[in-house]
Amino acid sequence: EAALAALKTAIASDVKVCFDGNYRSKLWEARGTSGQAILKQLLDHATLAFIDERDISLILGRDAGNRQQAAHAAFEAFPRLQMIAATTRETHGVSDYSLGATLFTRASGRQVEPIELPGVVDRIGGGDAFAAGFLFAHMTGMKEAETLAFALHAAAAKHGQVGDASHASAADVLALLSGGGLDVKR
């Protein structure tokens, strides 16, 4: 109820709303629900969502298909929604995988080339780092392709850090993007 009231106040004040699915089934099960109805209400107010096809299928209450089909279904179901961004992960081992990302708007879809991440230190917080990187890049006026690449590199930087919060600055992420992020800086 508090989140919904905050969303309605934000919209009344012409503030854009971002929704992060970040679904945790065990938390919802402890409440005796899947959370579908609540999440649907919250997503109905969002202009940007960090969700994938699993989240969309859950919220719509049906199989929404692959990522592109699911994005299309979400745009049909939620008129305020303008962008959907998410990471992709291909696991090669416990701490070895490829991390990519997708972005869908009402007019287009794009993906960024995956980054190989061998020897991941900690993947907890990677989704939050992606969302933070995306929001930073978007709000500072980067174009869609740059925004998606910046967000992906922010998430990749987090995977090399212990703990659930990233300590990478915007300059650190930009250094990774330019290929100079592995040198010692003094």
Side-chain angles (χ1 to χ4, degrees), residues 24-177:
R24 299 291 183 256
S25 61
K26 290 182 182 180
L27 294 175
W28 286 106
E29 288 168 8
R31 290 185 57 130
T33 178
S34 70
Q36 177 194 13
I38 293 170
L39 296 174
K40 191 172 186 176
Q41 276 187 299
L42 297 175
L43 183 55
D44 193 43
H45 293 82
T47 53
L48 165 63
F50 296 105
I51 52 178
D52 63 16
E53 61 276 10
R54 293 170 299 179
D55 297 313
I56 295 167
S57 292
L58 172 84
I59 292 168
L60 295 180
R62 62 179 172 81
D63 181 359
N66 65 31
R67 188 162 291 197
Q68 184 174 4
Q69 294 165 335
H72 180 71
F75 288 132
E76 283 186 354
F78 303 102
R80 293 184 51 83
L81 190 59
Q82 299 301 310
M83 291 190 292
I84 298 171
T87 58
T88 59
R89 181 178 293 122
E90 183 179 336
T91 304
H92 308 298
V94 173
S95 63
D96 181 18
Y97 53 88
S98 305
L99 188 66
T102 57
L103 172 63
F104 294 95
T105 67
R106 290 186 171 275
S108 67
R110 68 176 66 240
Q111 61 185 18
V112 67
E113 189 71 29
I115 299 172
E116 295 300 320
L117 297 175
V120 169
V121 174
D122 191 345
R123 56 183 259 195
I124 302 300
D128 291 335
F130 174 80
F134 190 96
L135 290 169
F136 171 84
H138 180 66
M139 292 174 70
T140 57
M142 290 186 194
K143 295 182 175 158
E144 285 180 6
E146 295 169 316
T147 295
L148 192 58
F150 187 92
L152 178 63
H153 283 77
K158 166 53 197 91
H159 284 75
Q161 302 170 30
V162 176
D164 63 353
S166 177
H167 304 287
S169 67
D172 294 333
V173 176
L174 289 170
L176 284 173
L177 273 165

Side-chain angles (χ1 to χ4, degrees), residues 1-18 41-42 45-46 80:
E1 290 173 3
L4 208 51
L7 290 175
K8 290 176 181 178
T9 300
I11 290 167
S13 300
D14 201 29
V15 173
K16 293 181 180 178
V17 173
C18 175
Q41 276 187 299
L42 297 175
H45 293 82
R80 293 184 51 83

